[in-house]
Amino acid sequence: MGELLNLSVYNPSSLSDEDFLRCFVARQMVANRLIDRLRDVKRGGLATHQLLMGQRGMGKTSMLRRLAIAVDQDPVLNATFIPLSFREEQYNVHSLSVFWSNCLDALADWCDRTGRQKQARAIDEDVARLNLTDKTAAHELFKKWIAAENKRPLLLLDNIDLIFGGLKNEQWNLRKHFQEPGGIVVVGGTATYMEATADREAAFYDFFQVTKLDKLSKEELIACLRSLALARGHDGEKVVRLVDQEPARIRTIHDLTGGNPRTLTLLYMLLEIDTSGDVFSDLERLLDQVTVLYKARVEDLPNQARVVLDAVALAWNPVLAAEVADTTALDVSTVSSQMDRLQKEGVVEKVSVSKTSKSAYQISERFFNIWYLMRHGPRRQRTRLRWLTGFLKSFYSPAQLLERAKSLVNGSSNVDADQGQMLIALSEAIDDEDWRSLLKNHVREHLERFAASIGKTLDEIVDPSELPRPITAWDWNRHGLLLRQHLKRSREAEDAYKTAISIDPSSWDAWFNLGTVRMADLADIGGAVQAYRMAVSLKPNDVSSQFWLASALAQDPATHGEAEKYFQELLKQKPSFYPAALALGDLLTEQAGRLPEAEKAFALASRSGAKKGSEALHGAAFFAGFVLEQFERAARLYQRQLTIDPDDFVARSNLVILSLYVRGDRKPEVNAEFLRAHPLHGRAVMEAIVALLNDRFVPEVHLPGVFEGDGIDLIDTYRGFLYLLLREVRRRGFGVAMLNWLDVSGTGDRQWPVRAAFDAYVNGENKLLDINPEVRTAAQKIHSLLTAPERYVESMGRPGDSGVDSDE
C-alpha cells in the first residue's frame, strides 16, 4: 500500500510532492481551471495574471504549490514556465532591487530542486556580488539567467499585498515589467484588501483575473474528510466509518467553522485520534488546537484595535460602528478608523443589515469568532452556541436520503440494472447503519462470487497482492471494485479503473466506476463529471450514467443548468425513473421562482413510483402538503401510500393533520390515543395547530410544549408540522406575540435559527442580514420553506390549488 500519508496544517511545503498531492483533496476544480489558464499562455505573448483571494486558511498557499507541481509534471507547462516559489511573507521587500534579488534566490532554489546544483551555485555567487543600491542591477541579472533558460518565469507570490505595500512608490514600474510580451507571469495570493488593485487610480487596478477561494461546501467537506481518511489506510478507517454514519455531525462542524480547508485538516487529525464524543466535543478540541495562533493574532493588535475587535466578536451578529462606540465608550470616529484598519488586515469585513443603509461589521474568519466567543464570551453566548450546535446536528440529519435508499432496497428483487447501479453510491451517505449495511451487501455479494471463483472467501482477501494479476480491462475493473468496496483503498481503485481504460478506452464499466469513486470518495467532482461524460458518450441511453452525471453536475451551482438539462432528458427517455424526478424536484425547489416546475417533477415522481410507494409518494406528498400547502393533493397521495402500506405511521400522522385543512370551518379535535403515540414535541405541535384552526390558540399555553427542552425531535421528525404551525401563527395575527414569547421564555436562544427565520417571515427577508452566518445558513433554508406557498402563487401568476393536472 505504500507509506502512510503525512499531513501538514500550516506548512504544506514540508510535505513531499506525492504526499502533498494526496492531501490536496479540496479545490480540485479550481486548480484545474487555473492550470488550464496557464496552458493558454503562449511563450511570446502577453499574459493574463491571476490573483487568489481568500481568508486565512482557505488554501491560497496550497493552491500556489499545486500550480508549481503541475508545471513540473505537465510536459506542455514545463516547456513554457519556470515555477518560482517564495517564502509566504516577503517582509524584506522595500524596493524593486530587493524584489528582483528574491526572484534570483527563488530561481536558484528551483535549479537546486531540479538537480542543477552548478547553476544554483552560480546564481548564488552572482547575488552575493550584487549592489542593491544599483536600481537596475538585480533586474538585469534576473533577465540574463531567465534568458538562458528560454522559458517564462511563473512567479507564485503568496501574500502579494505585502509586496505591493513595500513597493508603494514603484508599483507602476513593476506593472511595466509584468506586461512585457513573453515575460513574467504572476499568480498571487492575498487575504486582505489591496489598494493597489481596488483603487481606480492604482497601478494594478483591473490588472488581475481574480479567483475567490470561498469556504468549502458541506458536501465538499464530507468528501474531503473521506478522501483523507482513505489515503491514511488503516489509521483512517474509523474516520471513514464516522463520515458514513454521522454526516450531520460533519455538516454542523462545517457551519461553525466556516468551511475552512485548514480547519478541515485539523478536524481530520483530531478525529483520527478519537471519533467518540459529539459535535460540541469536536468543536472544543478544534478550539484548543487554534488557541495559540488566534491568541497571538489578538495580542499583535494595538490596544484600541483590540478593544474594537472584542466588541465585534462578542456581538456575534453584524454590528454598526455606532453600536461598537456605545459598547466601548470610544468615539465613533475612533471606532471607524480602527474598523478600517481591521478590514484592511482581513480581520473584519463589511456587511449589509436591514435597519440602515450604513455598513455593519463582522469577524471575517468565522471560526475565529467562534473561538473568541468560547474563550471570552459571556455565559449566555456560550450557551447559545451549545444549543445552536445541537439544533444544526438535528437539522442536517438526512432522513429523506434514508427513505430513498429504503425504497430502492425494498424493491430490489424487481429493480432493473439502471436502478441497481445507484445502490453503491447511496450506501455511502446513509446515517442508519443497518440500512447502509444492507445496501453494501448488494456489492458484497458480487465480490464474494468473485472471491469464490479463485477459491477464497472475501474475508480471506486482505491485500490485492493475493489476487491473480489483472490482465484485461475487465479484470482491472473488477480489481478496482474490490479495492474500493472491500478494502477501502479508493486511490488505488481509481488507478485500477484508469488502467482498465488505458487497455480499453471503450469500457463503459471502467468509466462509470471511475466517476463513482471520484465523486463519492475522492472529493473530485470535476474528475467525476469528466468520467461520467465519457460513460454517457459510450452508452447514450444508459439511465445510470445520465443520472450520476446530472447528480455530479448538481454539486456545483455553476453547472445547475446543465444538471437540470440531463435530468430532463433522462426523464423524457425513461419517465418511470422516479429517482431522477425527485432529484430534479429537489434541485428546482432550491431556485427562486422554480416551484411550479418543481411541482411537476414531484408529480411525475408520484405517478412513476406510485405502485412501489414509499419514497416517491412520500417525497411528492411532503412537497405538496408542507411546502406548497396543497392540502387536498397531499392527502390523496398519503391515502394512496396507506393502501400500499397500511402500517405507515408517518403517512397516517401527516394525513391526520393535513385532512384538517380540507374540512369545513370547524376543525375536529385529534384523537387522544393517536396523539399519545407521538413523543412530546410531536403531540404538542399537532395540538397547537388544532388550537389555531379552532381559534383557541394562546401562545403562552400552546408554545411551551412545542419547544420544551432542546426540541431536537421537533426539527428532526416534525419539521413539516412546524412549518404549518409558524405559517398559521402569522396568518392569524400572532406573529409579534410569538416573537415576544420566544424572547421572554429564552426559547429563541435554544431555537435561534427558527427564531431568526420566523422574524424574517413576519418582518421581511432583510432581517436575515442582521444574523451571524452560523445561524443564517439554517435560518435561510427555514425561511425559504415558510415562504414557499406565497412564492409559488407569485410564480404561477394566479392563485390556485395546483399547476399540475394529475398525480395519477
Side-chain angles (χ1 to χ4, degrees), residues 522-536:
L522 301 179
D524 184 5
I525 300 299
V529 167
Q530 180 188 40
Y532 284 136
R533 285 193 198 280
M534 285 300 302
V536 169

Side-chain angles (χ1 to χ4, degrees), residues 322-339:
E323 293 170 330
V324 172
D326 289 340
T327 302
T328 61
L330 294 173
D331 292 336
V332 173
S333 60
T334 301
V335 171
S336 297
S337 175
Q338 294 301 328
M339 287 290 198

Side-chain angles (χ1 to χ4, degrees), residues 265-274 282 285-286 289:
T265 307
L266 273 173
L267 175 63
Y268 173 80
M269 295 169 77
L270 292 171
L271 290 176
E272 188 175 285
I273 294 169
D274 182 13
D282 294 340
R285 290 193 295 156
L286 276 171
Q289 291 293 310

Side-chain angles (χ1 to χ4, degrees), residues 93-96 160-171:
V93 174
H94 62 87
S95 69
L96 276 178
I160 197 173
D161 50 292
L162 290 177
I163 297 169
F164 288 162
L167 299 174
K168 281 189 176 179
N169 298 323
E170 299 181 90
Q171 289 178 5

